[in-house]
Amino acid sequence: MKRLVTYVILMALFLTGCAAPADPDTAQESIQVIAMDTAMLITTYGEHSVTAAYAAEDVIRDLEAKLSRTDPDSEVSRLNAAGGETVSISQDTFALLRLAERCRMKTEGAFDITVAPLVAAWGFAGGEEYRVPSQEELDALLPLVDGSAVFTDSRSPEGEEYKTSGDYEGEWTCTAALEPGQAIDLGGIAKGCVSDLIVRVFQEYDIPRANVSLGGNVLAWGTRPDGAPWRVGIQDPARAEESGAYAGILELTDSFAVTSGGYQRYFEEDGKIYHHIIDPSTGCPADSGLTSVTVVADAFKTSQPWMGALCDAYSTALFVMGEEKALDFWRGCRDLEAEEPLFQLVLVTKDGRVLITEGLADRFTLGEDSGYAYEVVS
Ligand code: ADP
Ligand code: MG
């Protein structure tokens, strides 16, 4: 009898243990997703942490299927293979093409998705060998770089033309076309776009805190479980092979932090390094004196529904521009509603300096043994 009572008590404890609701602060899910040519890590907290983490994975898989350059069935591959013909595309791809064009105009061509034939010529499009193209080959490809020639159109079921850049309801028919010979590569903006869509997932599932790392694109959502900001390390470009070798650490909450650097994907030939960020004006890997650019912005910028994608495109563009132009660009980008800079920057230079724009000064710590000189810019 005594044994039976003990058993019943134990069972009762066990069952109540199972039935207790997940503690919203400690329930946690962490998943790794290999996609978009990189290893991604999604860590979510809260009651719906599991559902939200897998919904985030769905977002990544869905966008990869649309935008991949190596999958011949993707919308981007179909567009690139269409020889100038018009093809139908999804609303997501349409929105992204329009956004990429806005970024091209804003950055005066430093960001241009039609740089794709040059990315491929250097062997960075995936699948082919790395190589140094001849000047004749570059000269023949450079005229194809012209984002303004990319045609996009979206119509409502009533034939009404799409105008604003916000979200839109219902089934719109979207199309796009390139000039013959042109190709596009959304590698410089796609992961940022994914991070924007993941923000919407987190809002839908009421996720209190999360940390998402999409190969150079970080989303620091809420705070850490202990209430402190998330710590985001900025890889020291000079010690790219050492994980944990940081130029500095950012302390962030509710922010995107996107880094572009020449150390992420590169090859060496005859003692020279060639990396994957191409200057659309020369057709060659950008050589601007910067070794990395990190763009940091508020993940709740209501004036900018695609802030993550902007951070991604701008990190690539500012790396092409170099220090002086990048800082001028930063000064020119204001959030008119909040009356403050639209984003903040961490620039690492080839000559050993780390430049921080003033809005980040109290959220950045220089790596102790990094050897960099540190300057705050206003
Ligand atoms: P990563 O994708 O490695 O995080 P970036 O966001 O800087 O790095 O994007 C680099 C990718 O963007 C390249 O691999 C290429 O596909 C594409 N790209 C390279 N140069 C440009 C450019 N000037 N404008 C737009 N896209 C570019
Ligand atoms: Mg980018």
Side-chain angles (χ1 to χ4, degrees):
M1 185 63 194
K2 206 173 158 194
R3 259 165 87 186
L4 183 66
V5 171
T6 314
Y7 175 76
V8 169
I9 291 171
L10 277 177
M11 270 314 279
L13 280 174
F14 178 69
L15 287 174
T16 45
C18 279
D23 178 341
D25 268 342
T26 55
Q28 181 194 340
E29 180 68 4
S30 214
I31 61 171
Q32 197 191 40
V33 181
I34 307 291
M36 298 189 167
D37 231 3
T38 188
M40 304 179 168
L41 194 64
I42 303 168
T43 304
T44 47
Y45 293 80
E47 207 178 332
H48 303 294
S49 52
V50 177
T51 323
Y54 287 99
E57 178 177 4
D58 288 346
V59 162
I60 295 167
R61 303 265 178 233
D62 178 54
L63 219 58
E64 180 173 47
K66 287 172 178 153
L67 307 181
S68 166
R69 260 188 98 175
T70 47
D71 173 358
D73 295 326
S74 77
E75 294 178 21
V76 164
S77 294
R78 285 196 291 108
L79 190 56
N80 286 345
E85 294 297 314
T86 303
V87 301
S88 81
I89 54 172
S90 62
Q91 291 183 359
D92 279 346
T93 304
F94 170 78
L96 208 48
L97 291 179
R98 283 279 170 109
L99 192 65
E101 173 56 6
R102 235 176 77 202
C103 292
R104 184 194 65 83
M105 290 197 291
K106 284 246 177 216
T107 62
E108 294 174 344
F111 182 83
D112 192 327
I113 56 172
T114 62
V115 79
L118 287 148
V119 173
W122 288 91
F124 290 115
E128 63 286 86
E129 297 269 302
Y130 293 138
R131 56 189 275 274
V132 180
S134 67
Q135 191 57 49
E136 293 80 70
E137 189 180 350
L138 296 178
D139 290 341
L141 293 175
L142 275 167
L144 298 170
V145 182
D146 178 9
S148 72
V150 176
F151 163 84
T152 49
D153 189 56
S154 181
R155 304 270 158 180
S156 75
E158 293 79 38
E160 178 194 350
E161 197 181 344
Y162 169 87
K163 286 203 183 67
T164 57
S165 61
D167 286 310
Y168 46 99
E169 302 271 318
E171 285 303 307
W172 287 62
T173 309
C174 303
T175 51
L178 307 175
E179 290 296 317
Q182 270 195 319
I184 57 165
D185 183 330
L186 292 168
I189 193 171
K191 286 180 283 176
C193 178
V194 166
S195 65
D196 287 314
L197 297 174
I198 290 179
V199 162
R200 295 180 203 180
V201 168
F202 289 172
Q203 284 172 328
E204 184 185 339
Y205 289 103
D206 244 342
I207 295 301
R209 60 187 92 255
N211 193 301
V212 178
S213 174
L214 313 168
N217 285 236
V218 170
L219 168 60
W221 185 256
T223 63
R224 291 191 326 196
D226 64 3
W230 293 104
R231 290 163 63 79
V232 179
I234 310 252
Q235 176 73 41
D236 178 359
R239 294 179 292 163
E241 307 306 327
E242 282 173 61
S243 70
Y246 297 127
I249 307 270
L250 281 167
E251 300 208 329
L252 300 175
T253 51
D254 293 326
S255 301
F256 297 112
V258 183
T259 302
S260 279
Y263 60 88
Q264 285 160 324
R265 191 163 304 164
Y266 64 90
F267 66 96
E268 201 175 330
E269 196 171 297
D270 298 330
K272 223 181 148 212
I273 301 273
Y274 300 95
H275 61 73
H276 70 142
I277 301 176
I278 306 296
D279 182 341
S281 67
T282 63
C284 294
D287 187 12
S288 66
L290 294 177
T291 50
S292 90
V293 172
T294 301
V295 181
V296 178
D298 188 343
F300 287 114
K301 275 247 182 277
T302 44
S303 63
Q304 303 286 337
W306 294 102
M307 196 65 226
L310 279 189
C311 288
D312 195 359
Y314 287 174
S315 71
T316 308
L318 270 53
F319 183 88
V320 171
M321 287 181 194
E323 175 179 335
E324 212 172 305
K325 274 196 186 168
L327 290 174
D328 282 345
F329 185 80
W330 168 70
R331 292 184 188 102
C333 287
R334 306 280 302 173
D335 179 351
L336 299 177
E337 272 174 30
E339 294 180 358
E340 60 185 19
L342 189 58
F343 52 82
Q344 300 292 336
L345 297 174
V346 181
L347 307 180
V348 186
T349 71
K350 222 184 228 175
D351 62 8
R353 290 170 299 131
V354 173
L355 310 176
I356 311 290
T357 55
E358 55 187 354
L360 282 182
D362 58 354
R363 290 185 276 165
F364 181 83
T365 314
L366 193 69
E368 260 174 31
D369 52 354
S370 71
Y372 284 98
Y374 170 77
E375 296 168 25
V376 177
V377 182
S378 53

